Amino acid sequence: MNEQKLFDKIKRLAGKAVGDFNLIEENDRILVAISGGKDSWTMLHVLKELCRRAPIHYELVPVTINPGFDGFDTATITHYLTEQGFTAHLETTNGEEVINAHLRPGSSYCAFCARLRRGALYTTAQKLGCNKVALGHHLDDHIETLLLNQFYSGTISAMSPKLLADNGEQTVIRPLVYVEEHLIDQWTALRNIPRVDCSCPMLVRRDQKRQRMKVLIEELQGEIPQIKNSLLNAMRNVQPRHLLDKNLKDF
Ligand SMILES: Nc1ncnc2c1ncn2[C@@H]1O[C@H](COP(=O)(O)OP(=O)(O)OP(=O)(O)O)[C@@H](O)[C@H]1O
């Protein structure tokens, strides 16, 4: 597929998610969370294009949380945002210091860092008058989380495409929920989109459990070609009657 066809496909899938879950409404001011990685850049391009053609009015406000790790390349992020016609909002946190001081032994560095970042995103959304926060999680992220939670946490849950944040103020949206990661990989490579990583000292050991889920799904895909769609459908087709949760059913 060429660059345009790939982008059209990604845009169609994101547009479907926006419609299915009512992700964007009139006069929304959406904080678009930009890590500098492929997923968030793709989300920004798609939302910008959908915004251009939308029958309703909404605004996009890209925001990057600088986690404070040495080497985090804010210059590339600012430059690319400016090139795309946006103003860069950078918020610097002392993430590394907080993590080093408060992370309990055995807890996940990445998960702790993500929680801190989420807090910083909500605070920034409030400061900038944004009622929504858009995150770049794609279909593979959703189904990996579904498996991770079953295998390691003993819950049947994943990530919602639309969820009121814990602070009760902002709504988190995930417009790439239907977009497979390989489409994003291919499109960002063809389009020469810059890739900035978080420069975290744990980067090489990062998310090993998630990586395991990724490999497992890839392995099974040989045998079950529709596995990703099937897992996506499982999240849309919960049958509490056939589960064991006493909170969902009287026994
Ligand atoms: N430093 C950050 N500043 C702002 N938003 C962030 C930051 N890091 C992550 N996010 C948001 O959270 C989403 C999920 O983060 P995660 O660390 O899982 O990234 P990822 O799957 O590698 O995505 P990406 O390719 O965008 O980096 C990102 O797509 C982005 O929207």
Side-chain angles (χ1 to χ4, degrees), residues 17-241:
V18 168
D20 283 357
F21 303 112
N22 194 24
L23 299 186
I24 300 179
E25 291 140 298
E26 182 76 42
N27 292 328
D28 272 348
R29 191 167 151 83
I30 305 173
L31 181 156
V32 185
I34 299 292
S35 63
K38 62 182 174 38
D39 306 334
S40 44
W41 287 133
T42 302
M43 172 172 66
L44 183 68
H45 278 277
V46 163
L47 290 178
K48 182 179 167 190
E49 190 57 22
L50 291 175
C51 183
R52 214 169 56 79
R53 296 154 166 259
I56 57 170
H57 169 262
Y58 63 92
E59 282 175 78
L60 302 174
V61 183
V63 168
T64 298
I65 307 298
N66 179 347
F69 302 126
D70 278 349
F72 183 64
D73 183 3
T74 52
T76 297
I77 295 179
T78 305
H79 180 76
Y80 191 70
L81 281 171
T82 312
E83 228 177 58
Q84 297 305 313
F86 291 100
T87 305
H89 293 276
L90 282 172
E91 288 289 318
T92 301
T93 62
N94 55 348
E96 188 169 15
E97 258 171 68
V98 177
I99 300 171
N100 290 338
H102 298 287
L103 183 71
R104 273 174 297 175
S107 308
S108 155
Y109 196 96
C110 281
F112 193 91
C113 184
R115 275 202 302 280
L116 286 178
R117 187 171 64 227
R118 203 64 63 79
L121 283 171
Y122 297 153
T123 311
T124 310
Q126 240 152 358
K127 198 170 80 183
L128 298 176
C130 297
N131 62 322
K132 290 203 172 136
V133 173
L135 301 176
H137 296 109
H138 46 63
L139 179 105
D140 295 67
D141 288 325
H142 283 77
I143 61 181
E144 286 156 15
T145 305
L146 179 72
L147 296 188
L148 275 171
N149 285 341
Q150 286 177 76
F151 292 177
Y152 296 100
S153 312
T155 60
I156 298 185
S157 70
M159 295 185 282
S160 172
K162 187 179 188 187
L163 183 75
L164 189 63
D166 293 340
N167 65 8
E169 300 275 338
Q170 276 82 32
T171 298
V172 174
I173 59 170
R174 296 184 167 98
L176 301 184
V177 58
Y178 291 154
V179 181
E180 281 187 50
E181 185 171 19
H182 73 92
L183 296 175
I184 294 175
D185 275 334
Q186 287 172 48
W187 180 70
T188 47
L190 285 173
R191 177 79 199 246
N192 277 326
I193 301 239
R195 286 189 181 202
V196 172
D197 66 49
C198 64
S199 298
C200 150
M202 297 291 161
L203 197 59
V204 279
R205 294 198 278 127
R206 195 180 146 177
D207 265 355
Q208 282 170 345
K209 289 178 182 159
R210 182 171 292 278
Q211 203 47 41
R212 180 68 191 99
M213 297 301 106
K214 208 179 263 308
V215 172
L216 179 67
I217 295 166
E218 261 168 37
E219 283 166 8
L220 287 170
Q221 210 168 11
E223 243 171 85
I224 316 169
Q226 76 286 11
I227 189 168
K228 288 190 187 176
N229 251 329
S230 188
L231 287 168
L232 172 67
N233 283 335
M235 289 186 273
R236 299 195 272 216
N237 185 17
V238 178
Q239 303 188 1
R241 259 173 27 90

